[in-house]
Amino acid sequence: MEAGFSRMNDLTVLQASQGLAVYMEKRVRNALERGIVIGHDHRHHSQEFARLTAAAFVQRGFRVWYYNNLVHTPLVPYTVKKLNAAGGVMITASHNPKDDNGYKVYWENACQIIPPHDERIAECILENLEPWTWSLDAVKSHTLIKDPAGKGVIDEYFKEVEALCKYREDNENSKIKFVYTAMHGVGTPFAIRALECFGFDAFEPVLQQITPDPNFPTVAFPNPEEGKGALALAMETADKCNGNIILANDPDADRLAIAEKQSNGKWIIFNGNQIGSILGAAAFEKAITSGSKPEHLAMVASTVSSKFLARMADVEGFTFEESLTGFKWIGNTAMRLEDRGYDVIFSYEEAIGFTVGDIVKDKDGISALAVFSEWATQLYKRGITAYDYLEELYKKYGYFVSENSYFVTEDKTLIAKIFKRIRFGDEPKEDDSKFGYTLGYPETVGGHRVVGVRDLTIGYDSTTPNNKPLLPVSSSSEMITFTLENNTVFTIRTSGTEPKIKYYSELRGESEAQAKIDLHKVVEAIGNELMEYEKNGLQKKKDD
């Protein structure tokens, strides 16, 4: 957040809102009457930005459903769905550093916007740069602005959360001690209520992180995905109170991290793929127990997430589909599957984002928190831990080990240079192809032969008959996936919100130990051979 047309500030928020309002009025039937949902988190200037957004929409004649109080992000798309609104805006920067903020847009289908809406909204913004108003007081008195909490929407949300509960009596008698951290975010009241819906006793809070604080004073990065560093206080609290499981939301509570204490006293922090495997397997088991047939069920995961669910689908007979990275793609993919008659029981991305059931078509760390807690209770009732259950799954479907991280650089020109070298080689040769250069992807990585390359930036896939990818192509970001002959699949891509080159790698093997060794060799090669990180001055993620 700072001055400038490429930064979050009063002017750019107002301009974005004006352009969005104009576009929404053109493209959504009865948009003015149906209205726009607006929510905000606790970050610096979030309330101010939300009020400016509301002011722009009422200036255009929109009904505005404005949450006066702090909300977790999933409540905005839920409200769009429940009130049949024309769209929604959530002011949040999720788990980003304290100086950041963001503007998340949902369409009338309660999913985040995808092309071509994003490009057309951008055009409308450029056509409506002159501020219509600077009023921050409209939310206090304008007749078009109402708080959806007054219509019982939050209560309806928790009724749907409660409907996910399957074993209330066991939950009420559970001996598991849960420890919860909101990571200085907005999640606490929603997490409390979700567990109450499932019949659980109150969790043990991480007191230093339980209330909203936009400065995030106890963590370098307010992202529970960062691991031990972010969860240090939670583990300290759990050790003091003999806690079994740590539940951690990110600041806007759309993500969920999990850690579990083992019999030897050590903590295991599950990564997003491991949580996704547990929740996906649980969703399938519960669906089959309730009488559903595998051929009627479906799950979705992003293309950089584990292939575990794909393997499970092959074995069990349900449908699995990949999507591009991000819940704007995952949610829309799930909706298309539903249109084909499938019951989409679970969706996830490796960045600890999960959708359980049909409450929202977006990641929801609150409903996922309650469902995971209930499933953990069932596992402990069987005499096993969540980690034991994961081991059982791996023995049945194969050991899927992953190693995901990133390199940091602020130099966009350098990033372009790195990806150009990966695509076209050390000495790119111009030609008359649609790519402009002769393709020159590496033939080996880490000594293993490359058997497949999919480049969703330029639109190339070596594994399809016409060399065209099945997933959508976008030249606005870098994303290349390699498949190696040793069953490793890894993707390298740029981040849409952070100065990072991310990589996601996975290997399915017969044993966990050997798979980890083999995969780490490939990961080292990603840094040394593809990124040339030392030569290019890239910074590795700091170890916890």
Side-chain angles (χ1 to χ4, degrees), residues 414 417 421 426 527-528 531-538:
L414 176 59
K417 178 182 175 182
R421 173 182 169 273
D426 290 315
N528 294 324
M531 297 292 106
E532 296 185 314
Y533 80 96
E534 290 183 326
K535 173 184 173 182
N536 288 315
L538 305 181

Side-chain angles (χ1 to χ4, degrees), residues 209-329:
Q209 300 174 335
I210 208 68
T211 56
D213 187 332
N215 292 315
F216 308 107
T218 68
V219 288
F221 298 100
N223 182 2
E225 191 184 8
E226 291 288 330
K228 290 180 181 179
L231 296 179
L233 281 175
M235 289 187 286
E236 180 181 310
T237 300
D239 286 337
K240 289 179 180 178
C241 71
N242 295 316
N244 305 106
I245 290 177
I246 291 170
L247 308 168
N249 284 137
D250 68 336
D252 67 328
D254 63 350
R255 288 176 168 86
L256 172 68
I258 303 287
E260 182 184 52
K261 197 168 194 177
Q262 305 304 300
S263 58
N264 61 5
K266 294 183 178 180
W267 286 95
I268 287 180
I269 300 174
F270 296 111
N271 62 41
N273 285 324
Q274 291 171 324
I275 300 171
S277 298
I278 292 170
L279 286 174
F284 179 75
E285 186 174 330
K286 286 187 284 188
I288 296 302
T289 300
S290 68
S292 298
K293 295 182 178 180
E295 58 267 30
H296 297 157
L297 305 175
M299 300 191 202
V300 181
S302 68
T303 187
V304 299
S305 298
S306 171
K307 310 307 174 188
F308 175 87
L309 293 185
R311 169 66 175 167
M312 187 179 173
D314 289 341
V315 173
E316 303 294 351
F318 64 86
T319 294
F320 171 80
E321 282 202 12
E322 275 190 346
S323 78
L324 287 182
T325 306
F327 260 84
K328 65 180 182 181
W329 299 105

